[in-house]
Amino acid sequence: LMVLYGKENIRANNQLVMFQSFLIVATVAISFIFIKYCDVRAYLIALYIAYSLVFIISSVYVRKHLSGFPSMKSLKETFMTMLRYGLLVQLAAVLTLITYRLSYYMIESYQGRAGVGVFSVGVSLSEAIWLVANSFGLILFTKVANSKDRKFSQEMSIRFARLSLAATFFVLLPLVFCPSSLFQLIFGEGFGTVHRVVLWLSPGILFYCLNIVLNNYFSGTGQYRICTAGAAIGFVVILIFNFLLIPTYGIEGAGIASSLAYFSMGLFQVIVFNKQSGFRFIDFIIGREDIIRAIEEIRK
């Protein structure tokens, strides 16, 4: 699937991912409804079936990109490259995951699992909005990775960052203005405070979409150290502010700490990108041409 991404065959990748999800749901449904086998192993079997079939089909797609078995020298060089980049990528992934979830453990220590439940709902709703930025980032990564023109890649990154920022803002807006009573109606009594968590998270959620897009630019150009450095900054910020805010302000303090961490990660990426490209902060404001190009990209 990642080879398909790298070759800009996003349509085939999307189709295979959707097919994989459909197979999992269909297999579990057949097991539960018709075979009457209602066990967790039914889901595991569904995973094996879906993953195996998608692996076979995707192998057919990527076969034309294979050029025979590499020599031992080539294998060694490839392995060292994977090791060099892979360690940075995995470190960034671990630090980012801790940044996302560290608050849960601290909230449980001070407010119990009820507080974790309320906070996790607010985080899940807010983070779902990043689907927009992740979609733009994915397209950007494939184009940057296949381009040798650094200036073109930077201009495209700015354009995608602007679109992501604008789209995220408009998607986030209804969530911010939802009344607390609506959250209680959907999730039940005791979840009215979810709205306050969303309010504190929203500035960080909005600015972090720039981090998502620019992260794909730096990854596409092989600058994984910058991605890892950004993740480390987020980890340090949330670690400090969790200890400062959660004991006093509870889940709202956790929301503030997370928002500050997201904001710092996005700001770091923007500053580094601006130094490399020469673009200004004002260049992140969306224009009419960006909207037209966005519609063209979505159609593709």
Side-chain angles (χ1 to χ4, degrees):
L1 291 177
M2 290 305 298
V3 172
L4 292 176
Y5 274 140
K7 297 298 180 181
E8 295 191 70
N9 195 350
I10 298 174
R11 184 188 297 274
N13 186 288
N14 289 345
Q15 290 172 344
L16 286 170
V17 171
M18 290 175 66
F19 178 61
Q20 181 173 284
S21 301
F22 169 78
L23 278 176
I24 293 171
V25 174
T27 306
V28 171
I30 291 170
S31 177
F32 280 25
I33 298 170
F34 297 104
I35 305 177
K36 304 298 181 183
Y37 182 64
C38 303
D39 188 88
V40 68
R41 279 173 290 189
Y43 176 67
L44 298 179
I45 293 168
L47 289 181
Y48 275 107
I49 293 172
Y51 289 171
S52 298
L53 283 174
V54 169
F55 171 67
I56 293 168
I57 298 169
S58 61
S59 298
V60 175
Y61 274 100
V62 303
R63 184 176 57 182
K64 62 182 179 181
H65 301 300
L66 302 178
S67 56
F69 195 79
S71 64
M72 289 305 297
K73 182 180 178 182
S74 178
L75 276 174
K76 183 181 177 181
E77 290 174 354
T78 302
F79 176 77
M80 295 307 296
T81 303
M82 289 170 62
L83 194 65
R84 187 169 66 253
Y85 288 131
L87 288 173
L88 289 171
V89 172
Q90 294 305 321
L91 178 59
V94 170
L95 290 172
T96 302
L97 180 63
I98 295 172
T99 302
Y100 289 166
R101 298 293 175 256
L102 180 64
S103 303
Y104 289 19
Y105 297 97
M106 294 195 64
I107 291 171
E108 184 178 8
S109 299
Y110 288 97
Q111 292 195 327
R113 293 192 176 182
V116 176
V118 173
F119 184 73
S120 66
V121 170
V123 170
S124 297
L125 288 171
S126 301
E127 290 182 354
I129 296 169
W130 287 337
L131 177 65
V132 177
N134 281 318
S135 299
F136 281 122
L138 176 62
I139 298 170
L140 176 67
F141 175 78
T142 59
K143 291 186 177 297
V144 169
N146 285 282
S147 174
K148 295 181 180 179
D149 188 340
R150 183 62 65 90
K151 192 66 179 175
F152 170 77
S153 298
Q154 290 170 348
E155 289 174 353
M156 183 173 293
S157 300
I158 277 283
R159 190 178 306 124
F160 275 59
R162 286 198 298 256
L163 289 168
S164 176
L165 192 64
T168 302
F169 175 79
F170 285 112
V171 174
L172 187 62
L173 215 54
L175 198 61
V176 169
F177 285 103
C178 273
S180 300
S181 56
L182 184 60
F183 289 100
Q184 282 186 315
L185 180 66
I186 296 171
F187 299 107
E189 288 295 325
F191 283 89
T193 50
V194 168
H195 184 245
R196 292 208 298 271
V197 174
V198 171
L199 287 177
W200 286 116
L201 281 169
S202 55
I205 293 290
L206 178 62
F207 207 77
Y208 187 75
C209 70
L210 295 178
N211 177 78
I212 293 173
V213 173
L214 295 179
N215 220 39
N216 280 279
Y217 164 77
F218 290 122
S219 297
T221 53
Q223 301 181 75
Y224 293 104
R225 284 187 175 85
I226 296 172
C227 303
T228 307
I233 289 171
F235 167 72
V236 171
V237 170
I238 202 164
L239 189 66
I240 294 171
F241 283 96
N242 269 349
F243 279 107
L244 290 175
L245 298 175
I246 290 179
T248 305
Y249 300 103
I251 58 175
E252 291 186 49
I256 297 170
S258 295
S259 197
L260 288 170
Y262 299 154
F263 185 85
S264 64
M265 293 165 77
L267 183 62
F268 171 76
Q269 296 274 24
V270 169
I271 291 172
V272 174
F273 179 81
N274 284 359
K275 284 184 177 179
Q276 288 189 5
S277 64
F279 284 100
R280 301 163 300 167
F281 284 94
I282 197 171
D283 294 322
F284 286 91
I285 298 175
I286 195 168
R288 180 174 174 272
E289 183 185 348
D290 298 307
I291 297 173
I292 295 171
R293 293 200 178 190
I295 294 171
E296 292 175 355
E297 288 295 337
I298 291 168
R299 282 175 178 169
K300 290 179 185 179

